[in-house]
Structure formats: structure tokens, C-alpha cells
Amino acid sequence: MVILLLVLVYGGTLLVSAYIGKKKENADGYMTAGNKVGFGISAASMTATWIWASSMYASATAGYTYGISGPIHYGLWGALMILFIYPFGKRIRAVAPKAHTLAEVMHARHGRSSQLMLAGSNIVGSVISLTSNFIAGGALVALLSPFSFGQGVLAVAVGVLMYTLWSGFRASVLTDFAQVVAMLGAVAVIIPVVFFAAGGPAMFDQGASNLTPQQSNFFSSDAFLNQGAPYIAAVLAYAIGNQTIAQRLFAVREDLIKKTFVTATVGYGATVIGIGMVGVMALYLGVSPVGGDVNNLIPQMASTYLGPVLLCLFFVMILGALSSTADSDLSALSSIMMADVYGKNIAKKANPKTMLLVGRITMIVATAAALVFASQQMDILDLLVFVGALWGALVFPVIASFYWDKVTNRAFTTSVIVALAVFIPVRFSWLSMDGVTGILFDILSVAGIGIVLGLMVFGFFGLKPAKIVGALAAVASAPFVIGFLHDYTVLTGSLVAYAVSTIICYLMSVRSTQNFDFALIKQRIGDYDPVADDATHTPDDDLDGVTLSARK
């Protein structure tokens, strides 16, 4: 049955990919589908990309670890971060309407070092994301079939690679639509069935003794400081630094950005909070994860409480969730290597055919690398928070580069390098936090709190309200933060990354004599394959009235 489901899911998506494939593929279409994807497809793709198997597993882990507030912290903040993308996204598209990657825009704005720094961080992030999705697939197959974890990882990896390899982003964005429909439908059916099969409302009375006081408290400080607060900072960094999101931002029609991301916000929040409640139920039931691995919680609960038909539906749901993000990671990695490495740093004049070859080779190499890393079976939640915190060092320099004409290449590069140099030893507890050192990092964390909240406000309301909110947040949090926050290394590391990069970037830029003309970005970024773009597109490229491929 598992083999049949794998063949149906990946065989079906391969047929869809083959149907939209072109004998003469287009480099720009391969990376961004021509910047003209319509609302239905783009909203579904954004939702499917953000709802990955890892987010489902991590939400359940949060519920199992922190109680009922865990999935809400995970899902609510993640959903709001999708919402925060669109005001920045509108500015980014206005400045660079034909861009393929954020790093490509940094090349036009600053130069090579800033571009490669952002591209490099995205390569690391996307490989880790790909790895975590393969881990989720391996755990799913291992628990629901006689196959091993390694065999499951291999089956998922080959399946995703097959249908993404030929048409790139176009295949990813189109198959996302079918995958998100399957996911949302499955969640709506599966969660209530598991709830009532596990005992219904009586489960909460009978299993209350399995919870610690913090786990039973909806306003748990433990949940907020270990899960909620780090994730607020981490997901904002994901929103700004992640190429899978940027790729959809550059692909959707410019007038549909707000509509797309608001819709994805609702879809993501409802789905991920709902699936996270499986972890809460496991906590109340006193379930111990198989092998002590919390990644097994969701498939373990499903195999215990679902019948054969719903178990198949559950399998398809998780497979669709991990595939929709894995193919996005492959597309993101291929775009980075095509546009940022080959297009801007190797070729004097980029050849579209060579770009396509580079993109496809990248997908194969990335899949092989993720297979190797997945064999380590690392904790998915830790991976997600680590990558998000790592990207925190980039958030202010990237945002400022789209609004402030004084930000220089040297300020961007120096601020990010120093922030990473501080973040890594803090995150991995290489520094003693006793005495003055701990207080110093607490003060930096206070600055980080003000910066995170200020940036959120800035996107919607502008600079003056952002300064007011940021200052008030820092002042209000200082008495509660200084003296103890350094004990929470995940949160401290993330906030310190924000603070250090922002302070250094600002101080190095404020006295700059540079006055960058943002109109230059439009002149420096365009199509790589404009002739093929016009020649290969026909009305048949439309799906349900939405142009999927390149501009006319």
C-alpha cells in the first residue's frame, strides 16, 4: 500500500510536470515562471511551501513539549510572519520587478560580497530545510510500513527530484496547488477523527496528571521563552532571508502580493495549529515517542487511532506537505546557483542553456547532500529555530538596503559577519554567561527586542511609529529581561544576532556620503532569456485563467 501511494503521489506529480514541460525550456520561467503567476496558484503555493512536513512535526513536538500553548506559539507567529512579508514584498518588487533572487538584488544594490553572503546563507538554509523534510518522510515511511527510515528517505528524495528536475519552479508552483488542497482536506478530516478516537473531551480530564504545571498553563512562561519568543524572531528572519519565499514573491503578479500573502496567512495558521494538537493529545494520553524520537509522534498517533482509509489519507497529507517544500528548496537552490553563482559571478554573459544545466545539476547534488545529512536524524524543531536565528543577522541589513540609500556594501558585509561571530558562540553556549558577560548579552537582547518589534511595525506603518514601538518595547522589557534572559540561549542568540547586525550596519551607514539611486536596480536586473520568453509562450500556458509561465 505504501509503494502504491508513493507511486500515485509522485507519479501523478511527474505527469503534471511533464504536461507543462517544454522541449525548449526557458531560464526565466525555470526560476520565477515569468513574474506573472495569478492569485489562486500563488496563494496555494505560498501556503503549501510554508506548511511543510517539518512544520507539522515541529508543531506537534511543541504541543508535546510545552502543552496546548506550544502549537499556538508555533502556528500563530508563523502565520503572522507570512502577513509581515507583504509590505516589505511590495517594496522589493517595486525596486526589482524582474529579479529572480534576493541575493541578485543585493548584487545590484551593493556588489559581490553582500550578494554571496545572502546566497550562501540561503544555500545552507535550503539544504537544512531539504534535509528536515527528508527526515520527516523517512520517519513517516518507517512507522507506517515495513520499510526502513533510510529507504523512506530515498523514496521521497527520488520522487521529489523526478518531477521538479525538468520544469523547476513552474513544476513546483503548479503541483503545490494540488498538494495544498489534499493537505487542507486531510487536516479537516483527520484531526477530529483522532480526537474522538483517543477519547474526546474526557481525555483532558483523565490525562491532566501527565502534565507539569507549566504544560497545563496556557500562558506558560516556559513555552513563551523557549518556543514562542525565539520563533517570533526566527520566522521574521525566514520571511526576509528565505529564497523559497522570495521566489514566490518575484513570481506572483505584483498587484496580487497582498491578497496572496493574507490568504496564505489564514491557511497556514489554521492547518499548523490544528496538526500541532496531535502532540497535545499525545501529551495528555501519556504517549512515549517510538525510539524516544519526537519526530515519530504524528505518524505514531495516526497509526494508533486511524483506520486503513484515513491512514492512507494521512500518508498523502504528510507526503504532500514535505514534497511541496522540498521541491521549493530544490527550485530555490537551483535559482541561486543559476542567477547568483553562474549568472553574476562566473559568466561574462550568461547563456540561458548553460543556466538550465547548472540548475538541474544543482538539484541533483543538493538532493544527494540532503540524503547524507538526513541519515543523522536530527531534531527538526532545533533545525528550524537554528536556521531562523542564523538568518536574523541578515534581516536589518537586507531591509535597510531596500529603503535607505546610505547603506553601503562594507556596512552590510561587516554587520552580518560580526553578528554571526557573536551569535554562534552564544547559541552553542561556548561563552560563560556568569557575571558581567551575561548582563552584557541581556542588554543586547533588550536592543534586539526593540529591533524585532520595530521592524514589524515599520513594514506596515513606517519609520516614526517603528521607532516609537521599538523604543517602548526595549524600555518596557529591560527590567524583566536583564539578569536572567541569558539562561535561554536560543532566544538570546537570536536577539543578539538582530542587535549586533543592526547597530553595526546603522553606525557604519549613518555617516556615509553615498546616496544610492534605487532606479539603478531595475536597469541592472532583467530577463536572461527574453527572446525565448516571448517565443515559447502561448495561451495554453494559462491554467484556469491564470498565466503560469512567462510574460507576454
Side-chain angles (χ1 to χ4, degrees), residues 172-480:
S172 172
V173 76
L174 185 56
T175 54
D176 280 348
F177 185 84
Q179 288 162 343
V180 80
V181 169
M183 278 191 285
L184 296 177
V187 168
V189 173
I190 287 171
I191 303 304
V193 170
V194 171
F195 176 72
F196 287 107
M203 167 180 38
F204 297 114
D205 292 327
Q206 297 169 1
S209 59
N210 294 323
L211 278 66
T212 66
Q214 282 288 328
Q215 288 172 330
S216 59
N217 181 6
F218 184 79
F219 300 101
S220 165
S221 60
D222 189 38
F224 179 76
L225 291 170
N226 285 299
Q227 171 67 38
Y231 204 62
I232 293 172
V235 181
L236 179 58
Y238 264 97
I240 300 302
N242 193 331
Q243 171 59 18
T244 62
I245 296 170
Q247 202 165 15
R248 279 148 185 80
L249 173 64
F250 292 130
V252 66
R253 254 175 46 198
E254 197 168 344
D255 60 316
L256 297 175
I257 291 174
K258 179 179 178 180
K259 191 176 180 181
T260 295
F261 285 97
V262 169
T263 303
T265 297
V266 177
Y268 172 89
T271 304
V272 171
I273 292 173
I275 202 74
M277 292 304 164
V278 172
V280 177
M281 287 186 265
L283 177 64
Y284 273 93
L285 292 167
V287 172
S288 296
V290 172
D293 186 355
V294 289
N295 294 334
N296 291 329
L297 273 175
I298 287 185
Q300 184 179 343
M301 289 287 287
S303 62
T304 303
Y305 295 104
L306 295 179
V309 174
L310 288 179
L311 198 56
C312 290
L313 184 64
F314 167 82
F315 187 89
V316 170
M317 176 188 75
I318 300 296
L319 208 59
L322 68 90
S323 299
S324 66
T325 306
D327 64 35
S328 300
D329 288 319
L330 289 177
S331 297
L333 287 164
S334 66
S335 294
I336 291 169
M337 296 302 293
M338 289 167 71
D340 295 314
V341 177
Y342 170 76
K344 297 296 182 185
N345 289 285
I346 295 178
K348 292 182 179 179
K349 181 175 173 60
N351 183 327
K353 290 183 179 179
T354 306
M355 291 185 80
L356 287 168
L357 179 62
V358 168
R360 288 170 176 148
I361 291 174
T362 298
M363 288 191 180
I364 296 170
V365 173
T367 301
L371 280 171
V372 173
F373 295 140
S375 64
Q376 305 301 313
Q377 292 183 257
M378 294 170 283
D379 183 86
I380 290 174
L381 187 58
D382 284 348
L383 285 176
L384 299 183
V385 175
F386 174 75
V387 174
L390 189 67
W391 277 334
L394 288 156
V395 174
F396 180 83
V398 170
I399 292 176
S401 295
F402 284 101
Y403 291 89
W404 192 16
D405 59 3
K406 290 188 175 295
V407 179
T408 64
N409 184 48
R410 180 175 295 179
F412 185 108
T413 305
T414 305
S415 63
V416 172
I417 290 174
V418 174
L420 290 177
V422 176
F423 161 74
I424 291 174
V426 172
R427 174 62 181 83
F428 292 105
S429 302
W430 295 348
L431 298 174
S432 172
M433 289 294 181
D434 295 332
V436 177
T437 305
I439 298 299
L440 175 61
F441 281 110
D442 286 345
I443 293 171
L444 283 173
S445 296
V446 168
I449 291 170
I451 289 164
V452 170
L453 295 178
L455 287 172
M456 292 177 178
V457 173
F458 171 71
F460 288 98
F461 303 108
L463 184 57
K464 188 174 181 179
K467 288 181 176 179
I468 294 171
V469 170
L472 290 175
V475 171
S477 63
F480 304 99

Side-chain angles (χ1 to χ4, degrees), residues 92-149:
I92 293 169
R93 280 294 295 274
V95 169
K98 293 186 178 181
H100 306 87
T101 71
L102 270 178
E104 185 182 32
V105 185
M106 289 302 103
H107 184 275
R109 174 67 174 86
H110 293 302
R112 182 173 296 179
S113 63
S114 297
Q115 177 213 19
L116 292 178
M117 191 167 291
L118 186 55
S121 70
N122 267 288
I123 290 172
V124 172
S126 288
V127 170
I128 289 178
S129 171
L130 193 61
T131 299
S132 66
N133 278 289
F134 289 169
I135 290 172
L140 177 73
V141 171
L143 272 176
L144 299 183
S145 76
F147 298 110
S148 68
F149 172 84

Side-chain angles (χ1 to χ4, degrees), residues 152-163:
V153 168
L154 182 62
V156 169
V158 171
V160 172
L161 180 63
M162 280 194 310
Y163 76 81

Side-chain angles (χ1 to χ4, degrees), residues 512-533:
S512 168
T513 57
Q514 172 182 279
N515 291 290
F516 182 78
D517 182 3
F518 287 99
L520 291 174
I521 294 179
K522 287 184 181 180
Q523 299 174 20
R524 294 171 178 174
I525 298 177
D527 292 336
Y528 287 97
D529 199 0
V531 176
D533 200 31

